[in-house]
Amino acid sequence: MTIKQEHMMDHIRELLSSLLLLEVTDPALKGVTITEVVLDRELEYANIYVNALGNDARQAEVMKGLKRANGFLRRELGKRLRLRRVPALVFHWDVTLARGDAMEAKL
């Protein structure tokens, strides 16, 4: 992974987090956390992992809300990033918190 990719991943995560916190008004997206952003080598696709503060019951609601807000989020990223093309945003539900809780329960 190049330094540019790492820098852009951090920058995209920060921007999306602030957009979700301050500018998105969809009630389905309240309390959503960006846990990780992974960019491909060409910076064309951004895989964004999200979670709703450990509330797995909201997964379907949150993913539908992110699908509705995808255009807005991509447009706002385009205004703030210095890239020729804004990467396509692909949202995924992050299951690492649930896996960690399951491991802890087993221990």
Side-chain angles (χ1 to χ4, degrees):
M1 187 161 306
T2 65
I3 294 173
K4 181 178 181 179
Q5 279 178 298
E6 290 179 17
H7 177 71
M8 288 309 298
M9 288 188 305
D10 289 338
H11 195 55
I12 289 172
R13 186 179 52 77
E14 290 172 9
L15 287 173
L16 284 176
S17 294
S18 69
L19 284 170
L20 287 172
L21 183 64
L22 301 173
E23 296 186 31
V24 174
T25 58
D26 190 345
L29 299 178
K30 295 295 178 194
V32 172
T33 304
I34 306 289
T35 56
E36 186 178 9
V37 174
V38 179
L39 284 170
D40 67 331
R41 184 173 286 287
E42 293 81 25
L43 305 177
E44 289 185 24
Y45 296 98
N47 290 304
I48 299 156
Y49 295 89
V50 298
N51 202 312
L53 301 174
N55 189 355
D56 289 332
R58 292 186 51 205
Q59 178 179 356
E61 173 190 0
V62 168
M63 296 309 287
K64 286 179 186 175
L66 288 169
K67 188 174 183 178
R68 287 190 302 265
N70 195 341
F72 169 76
L73 293 172
R74 190 168 182 215
R75 183 176 61 246
E76 292 299 316
L77 277 179
K79 291 178 184 177
R80 293 168 169 87
L81 291 175
R82 293 182 184 214
L83 289 175
R84 193 172 299 161
R85 288 183 300 201
V86 179
L89 306 178
V90 182
F91 291 98
H92 305 280
W93 187 258
D94 191 0
V95 295
T96 56
L97 292 175
R99 286 183 186 164
D101 290 343
M103 293 286 279
E104 188 175 311
K106 288 180 182 179
L107 295 176

